[in-house]
Amino acid sequence: MSEVGGVSGTGIAQRIAGAPISWGVCEVPGWGHQMEPERVLREMREVGLAATEFGPDGFLPLEPARKVETLARHGLAAVGGFVPVVAHDPGHDPLPQVDVALDGFVAAGAGVLVLAAATGLDGYDERPELDADGWKTLCENLDRLAVRAQERGVHACLHPHVGTMVETRDDVYRLLDGARLPLCLDTGHLFVGGTDPAALARELPERIAHTHLKDVDAGLAESARAGQCTYTEAVRAGMYRPLGRGDVDIAGIVRTLEAHGYQGWYVMEQDTVLDAEPEGAGPLLDVAVSVAYLRGLE
C-alpha cells in the first residue's frame, strides 16, 4: 500500500481532512456562490477536521508564506491539493504549472499533489476522446510530473474525475496499465464514471495513495452517466450525499484500505453548488454527518 503524505501510525480520526469543494468552493467558472475562506476554514476546525486540501487557485493566498500563515491561524495542517493539468497535448508542457503549485506545497509542508487529466475545456460537463497517441502522451506526462513532485518532496497521484480524460472504468484501467503513478481513490467520481470503487480498492490496494470520500445517489449518477442531465446539474440536485446516506460501500472501502496498511488521508469531499451565502449551518451539517460516520468505523 502506498503511503502518500499521510500521518503514519495514527488512527482514522487523526487522518480526516477537508476540502473547500464541500463548501461549494470550486475552480469551475460560474459553479455557484463562493464562500470566503475565513468561514470555510473556521468551520473545518469546528467540525474537528485535522487538515485541508488547498482548494482552487485564489481561495488561499497564492504567496506561499501567506498560505502557510492562513492555515496555521486556523489550526489546520496542509494536505496538498487538486491540480488539473492538460497532459495529453504534445504541444503543451504542464510542468511549469505544476512547479508553481509545488512552491506552495513545499512551503506549507503539504505532501500530496492530486493531479487531474484536464481536457482544456471549462467545467466537467463534456470531454473529448483520446486516441492512442494522446494516451501515450498523457501517461508519459503524468509520470514525468510525479517524478518532479518526488524530487521536491511531494507525492503525486492521479484523480479519475468526471469530465476529464480519465473518467470511465476503461479509462481508469488504461491509465493504471500505462502509467506508474498511483491513484487518488475518489469514491464519488469513480462511481459516477462507472467504476466500482470498493472493487477497485480490493483489487489494487497497492495503487491507492490518497482517498477522497463522498457517497453518491445512484439514481442521479445513472442520469448523469446516461446523459439525461449534466454533471453539474446532478451535483446541484444533490448527487453527492453524506457518508453512509448514499449507495457507495464507504465502510467496506475504508476497511479494505486499513486492512492493507493505508496510512494516508481521508478527505471529506461532498461537491455542492450554493446559490447564496448560507444563513445557518449550511454545508457544515453534511460534513459533520460524514465525519461522525467515518469516526464510527474506527
Side-chain angles (χ1 to χ4, degrees), residues 16-290:
I16 303 175
I21 187 64
S22 293
W23 280 260
V25 179
C26 183
E27 72 279 359
V28 176
W31 179 262
H33 174 74
Q34 302 294 287
M35 293 176 66
E36 291 297 319
E38 289 298 314
R39 177 174 177 180
V40 173
L41 298 176
R42 182 183 73 250
E43 291 186 353
M44 285 184 180
R45 285 303 298 159
E46 287 175 1
V47 80
L49 298 176
T52 183
E53 291 192 359
F54 290 141
D57 287 347
F59 176 70
L60 294 177
L62 293 179
E63 200 277 314
R66 291 186 58 217
K67 191 189 300 283
V68 173
E69 187 278 329
T70 300
L71 292 179
R73 181 157 37 86
H74 290 278
L76 291 165
V79 173
F82 178 74
V83 179
V85 294
V86 175
H88 64 278
D89 181 352
H92 173 75
D93 185 1
L95 193 57
Q97 175 192 349
V98 168
D99 265 333
V100 171
L102 287 171
D103 289 341
F105 283 46
V106 172
V112 189
L113 171 65
V114 184
L115 297 168
T119 63
L121 306 172
D122 285 337
Y124 300 114
D125 292 336
E126 58 179 322
R127 68 175 195 139
E129 294 290 333
L130 280 183
D131 59 17
D133 288 341
W135 270 103
K136 183 174 184 292
T137 300
L138 175 67
C139 291
E140 289 176 350
N141 270 331
L142 289 173
D143 280 340
R144 186 167 62 97
L145 296 175
V147 169
R148 174 59 64 89
Q150 187 69 47
E151 290 171 348
R152 302 194 63 186
V154 177
H155 301 278
C157 54
L158 188 279
H159 184 328
H161 194 293
V162 174
T164 69
M165 310 312 295
V166 183
E167 172 184 328
T168 69
R169 186 182 187 279
D170 287 346
D171 295 339
V172 171
Y173 282 87
R174 189 164 184 173
L175 186 281
L176 287 167
D177 287 341
R180 295 186 300 276
L181 83 169
L183 291 182
C184 168
L185 186 83
D186 185 296
T187 59
H189 280 280
L190 286 165
F191 188 92
V192 177
T195 301
D196 179 346
L200 180 60
R202 291 191 300 269
E203 181 184 354
L204 294 168
E206 71 280 359
R207 292 298 297 271
I208 296 167
H210 190 55
T211 305
H212 285 177
L213 291 179
K214 50 173 72 74
D215 216 334
V216 182
D217 180 292
L220 285 168
E222 176 57 32
S223 294
R225 202 179 301 124
Q228 296 168 352
C229 64
T230 68
Y231 173 74
T232 306
E233 289 168 344
V235 175
R236 182 179 287 277
M239 179 170 65
Y240 292 127
R241 307 291 302 137
L243 301 187
R245 296 188 178 181
D247 296 294
V248 177
D249 182 12
I250 298 295
I253 289 167
V254 171
R255 288 173 181 140
T256 295
L257 294 178
E258 292 295 300
H260 285 87
Y262 179 74
Q263 284 293 313
W265 293 102
Y266 291 107
V267 181
M268 299 293 98
E269 270 208 340
Q270 293 150 306
D271 303 20
T272 189
V273 179
L274 301 178
D275 293 322
E277 185 74 13
E279 294 185 3
L284 180 61
L285 288 175
D286 282 352
V287 178
V289 169
S290 291

Side-chain angles (χ1 to χ4, degrees), residues 6-7 9-17 48-51 264-266 295 298:
V7 189
T10 60
I12 292 172
Q14 287 73 45
R15 292 183 281 130
I16 303 175
L49 298 176
W265 293 102
Y266 291 107
R295 284 178 175 156
E298 285 270 26

